[in-house]
């Protein structure tokens, strides 16, 4: 058994310092304020904590009344994954749209404006960007969150995003190391296994992370994925070979030489929780080289914080986790907090309120096999709706109906899901066309290539109504169909606005 040479109080403060917990509500609960006073150094925000920018700034101010050197983190990728605008849709397109434009200055400018808005709300850590190379088209959780499928493209935009975000005083947390792109499994639900060999890993997955490290990313988030080429037993979040031996190792030894903060993905995700449990998973993550435990997306209560705190303290006392490792992790958390206090927090950055829409317009791709005319009257929008992945969430609206209705009052919409196709695509389409009547139909799809029921329904619709417009708001992997076919490269509100403008030939006054 190891000899504990530091006071239990110090160990407790260090254990709290490495946690990144969430909470419920739009005001800070008393238990959270109390733990801040005891050593908690990071608070995580989610969509449930956000009402509007003024409320968010007041919440951040209240938290900093208790602890001035506080890290306030959020998962604000823009695009499909938004917390700032969770109920209305993002003012920024996501990574795939930026990768489609392939203008690194635009990516840098978008990230800078996003960082400025975060800083205005008192947020100083963003769990973004996603540096995953979306090499597997069947990927159910990354998709449009990736800049693309080419490592070099993803690398240059990852670096630009990091630079833009951090120029606003907000620390970037590049994710999901060592790369979540080559999987057909969502780690929210199960443990993905990636069978790529080390050469492929070096030439594909790791290229964007090297670029992020070179760009000065202050943090990196680990992925709950099993890569047997690195570690046959433990997922990357719990693997010394992945974190200490690859991410931290010097470049001269084949590593990335990263010296910033290593943050885990949500420890309550089933890839960890269902296999190891959150207490043991947290201990193993710290022992493997992680410095901060993200928790709170699903478990957001004081009891969870106390369970993890006590598990870490107990692991030190029983010799399972070296106290020096816990102290080092806590020191790295505090070092990042110190960086944010002197990082400028968006000072001197001119607002660029239209940058997101401008980027979405540039990302739009229109294809038509036959001549088409702009919509001039009310339309019927049929949204073929897949299950939302947990990272995106069900609260955030998507589709083009709301934006199209602003330009064409009287436009109506309905959503169609897999269960609506249970009796066959013809029955679904008959229902759809009865509801549409004589109005032109706009079919909205999302990752058509991943959903056979959706592809069958769209085929039946186009057979019956060939001049249907099709808007793909996911990864445009399937061949273009429709008159016209629009690829928005994401489902953000501004992507929908760009599509509505293209369908009507109008822009709002």
């Amino acid at each position: 058994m190891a000899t504990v040479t530091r006071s239990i109080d110090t160990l407790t403060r260090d254990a709290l310092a490495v946690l990144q917990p969430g909470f419920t509500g739009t005001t800070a609960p008393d238990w959270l304020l109390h733990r801040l006073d005891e050593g908690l150094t990071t608070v995580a925000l989610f969509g449930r904590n956000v009402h509007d920018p003024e409320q968010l700034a007041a919440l951040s101010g209240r938290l900093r009344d208790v602890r001035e050197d506080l890290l306030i983190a959020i998962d604000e990728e823009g695009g499909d994954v938004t917390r700032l605008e969770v109920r209305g849709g993002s003012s920024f397109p996501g990574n795939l749209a930026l990768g489609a434009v392939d203008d690194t200055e635009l990516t840098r400018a978008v990230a800078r404006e996003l960082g400025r808005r975060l800083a205005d709300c008192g947020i100083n850590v963003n769990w973004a960007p996603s540096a995953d190379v979306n090499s597997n088209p069947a990927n159910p959780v990354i998709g449009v969150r990736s800049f693309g499928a080419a490592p070099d493209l993803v690398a240059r935009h990852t670096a630009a995003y990091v630079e833009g975000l951090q120029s606003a005083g907000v620390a970037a947390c590049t994710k999901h190391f060592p790369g979540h792109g080559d999987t057909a499994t969502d780690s929210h639900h199960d443990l993905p296994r990636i069978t790529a060999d080390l050469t492929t890993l070096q030439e594909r997955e790791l290229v964007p992370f090297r670029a992020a490290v070179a760009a000065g990313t202050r943090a990196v988030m680990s992925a709950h994925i099993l890569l047997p080429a690195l570690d046959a037993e433990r997922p990357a979040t719990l693997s010394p070979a992945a974190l200490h031996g690859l991410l931290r190792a010097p470049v001269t030894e084949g590593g990335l030489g990263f010296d910033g903060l290593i943050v885990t993905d949500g420890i309550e995700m089933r890839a960890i929780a269902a296999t190891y449990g959150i207490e043991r998973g947290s201990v193993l993550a710290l022992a493997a080289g992680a410095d901060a435990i993200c928790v709170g997306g699903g478990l957001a209560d004081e009891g969870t914080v106390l369970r993890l705190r006590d598990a870490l303290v107990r692991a030190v006392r029983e010799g399972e986790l070296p106290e020096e490792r816990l102290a080092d992790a806590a020191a790295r958390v505090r070092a990042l907090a110190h960086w944010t206090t002197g990082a400028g927090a968006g000072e001197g950055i001119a607002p660029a309120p239209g940058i997101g829409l401008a980027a979405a317009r540039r990302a739009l791709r229109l294809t038509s096999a036959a001549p088409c005319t702009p919509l001039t009257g009310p339309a019927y929008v049929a949204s073929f709706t897949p299950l939302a992945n947990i990272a995106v969430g069900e609260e955030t609206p998507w589709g083009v109906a709301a934006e199209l209705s602003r330009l064409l009052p009287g436009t109506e919409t309905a959503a169609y899901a897999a269960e609506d196709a249970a009796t066959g695509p013809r029955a679904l389409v008959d229902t759809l066309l009865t509801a549409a009547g004589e109005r032109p139909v706009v079919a909205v799809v999302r990752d058509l290539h991943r959903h056979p029921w959706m592809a069958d329904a769209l085929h039946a619709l186009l057979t019956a109504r060939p001049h249907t417009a099709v808007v793909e708001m996911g990864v445009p992997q399937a061949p273009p169909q429709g008159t016209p076919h629009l690829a928005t490269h994401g489902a953000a509100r501004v992507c929908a606005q760009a599509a509505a403008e293209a369908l009507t030939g109008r822009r709002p006054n």
Side-chain angles (χ1 to χ4, degrees):
M1 181 177 292
T3 301
V4 178
T5 59
R6 306 164 76 222
S7 72
I8 295 299
D9 180 67
T10 302
L11 287 177
T12 299
R13 296 186 73 83
D14 284 351
L16 284 169
V18 303
L19 301 180
Q20 296 191 340
F23 62 97
T24 58
T26 54
T27 58
D30 290 342
W31 70 261
L32 183 65
L33 300 176
H34 180 60
R35 300 305 165 193
L36 289 174
D37 198 45
E38 290 184 345
L40 188 67
T41 309
T42 308
V43 172
L45 300 180
F46 297 87
R48 61 176 178 253
N49 306 122
V50 179
H51 177 67
D52 57 39
E54 293 73 24
Q55 166 267 326
L56 196 52
L59 171 59
S60 299
R62 179 69 184 99
L63 293 169
R64 288 205 170 86
D65 285 342
V66 180
R67 187 179 189 97
E68 186 176 0
D69 61 335
L70 179 66
L71 295 174
I72 301 179
I74 199 166
D75 189 9
E76 181 57 48
E77 299 177 15
D80 290 30
V81 180
T82 179
R83 312 307 178 206
L84 286 183
E85 299 177 275
V86 64
R87 291 167 191 85
S90 182
S91 300
F92 302 92
N95 285 1
L96 189 65
L98 295 172
V101 178
D102 196 13
D103 178 347
T104 54
E105 285 304 315
L106 177 65
T107 296
R108 189 174 289 106
V110 167
R112 183 184 301 116
E113 173 62 11
L114 178 58
R116 187 193 66 79
R117 295 192 195 183
L118 290 172
D120 279 353
C121 295
I123 296 165
N124 53 14
V125 178
N126 191 10
W127 294 322
S130 168
D132 306 294
V133 178
N134 198 54
S135 56
N136 188 339
N139 197 313
V141 67
I142 301 301
V144 296
R145 301 167 66 197
S146 167
F147 289 110
D152 289 344
L153 179 143
V154 176
R156 60 179 172 266
H157 287 279
T158 296
Y161 194 108
V162 167
E163 292 164 358
L165 188 65
Q166 293 189 167
S167 71
V170 176
C173 183
T174 304
K175 60 190 183 186
H176 307 82
F177 181 85
H180 207 311
D182 186 18
T183 175
T185 302
D186 184 345
S187 53
H188 290 92
H189 302 297
D190 206 346
L191 178 61
R193 179 186 178 94
I194 293 178
T195 58
D197 58 26
L198 285 176
T199 299
T200 301
L201 193 68
Q202 292 284 353
E203 295 177 352
R204 188 178 64 188
E205 274 76 14
L206 296 182
V207 174
F209 288 97
R210 289 195 199 96
V213 172
T217 187
R218 307 304 302 189
V220 169
M221 178 176 282
S222 66
H224 305 329
I225 54 176
L226 187 68
L227 294 102
L230 280 177
D231 190 322
E233 297 183 0
R234 291 183 176 174
T237 292
L238 312 183
S239 170
L243 301 186
H244 180 74
L246 182 60
L247 184 53
R248 288 272 189 238
V251 174
T252 55
E253 298 176 13
L256 275 68
F258 178 63
D259 195 40
L261 189 76
I262 300 177
V263 182
T264 72
D265 207 344
I267 206 70
E268 71 268 47
M269 292 165 61
R270 288 188 59 79
I272 300 297
T275 307
Y276 298 90
I278 64 169
E279 293 99 328
R280 178 156 177 74
S282 296
V283 171
L284 291 175
L286 265 290
D291 305 305
I293 307 296
C294 173
V295 64
L299 300 174
D301 58 283
E302 183 180 22
T304 297
V305 173
L306 298 182
R307 284 169 60 194
L308 297 185
R309 180 201 67 182
D310 294 346
L312 295 174
V313 170
R314 184 168 58 250
V316 171
R317 296 180 66 186
E318 295 178 354
E320 186 178 5
L321 176 65
E323 64 173 299
E324 295 81 5
R325 173 78 274 272
L326 179 61
D328 173 64
R332 289 180 185 275
V333 173
R334 295 175 187 128
L336 181 59
H338 178 74
W339 176 85
T340 63
T341 61
E347 296 174 5
I349 296 177
I355 189 71
L357 179 56
R361 287 168 174 161
R362 290 181 63 185
L364 189 72
R365 300 290 181 268
L366 187 150
T367 306
S368 185
C372 55
T373 57
L375 299 175
T376 57
Y380 182 81
V381 179
S383 293
F384 295 124
T385 306
L387 288 175
N389 73 59
I390 290 177
V392 174
E394 295 182 350
E395 313 97 315
T396 305
W398 73 284
V400 303
E403 297 301 325
L404 202 55
S405 294
R406 291 187 176 93
L407 299 175
L408 301 176
T411 291
E412 295 183 4
T413 185
Y416 300 89
E419 53 265 31
D420 298 309
T423 57
R426 289 285 297 274
L428 183 154
V429 169
D430 286 345
T431 301
L432 187 163
L433 291 178
T434 298
E438 297 301 316
R439 289 170 295 183
V441 176
V442 178
V444 184
V445 298
R446 200 170 183 176
D447 291 345
L448 182 68
H449 66 285
R450 292 201 302 110
H451 303 287
W453 72 267
M454 191 185 296
D456 291 344
L458 182 63
H459 176 74
L461 173 59
L462 292 173
T463 300
R465 189 78 70 88
H467 291 285
T468 294
V470 177
V471 183
E472 169 63 84
M473 302 195 80
V475 179
Q477 186 79 20
Q481 305 172 70
T483 308
H485 178 276
L486 287 83
T488 62
H489 299 91
R493 177 175 52 79
V494 287
C495 295
Q497 183 174 341
E501 292 171 353
L503 288 168
T504 62
R506 304 185 195 177
R507 291 189 177 181
N509 296 328

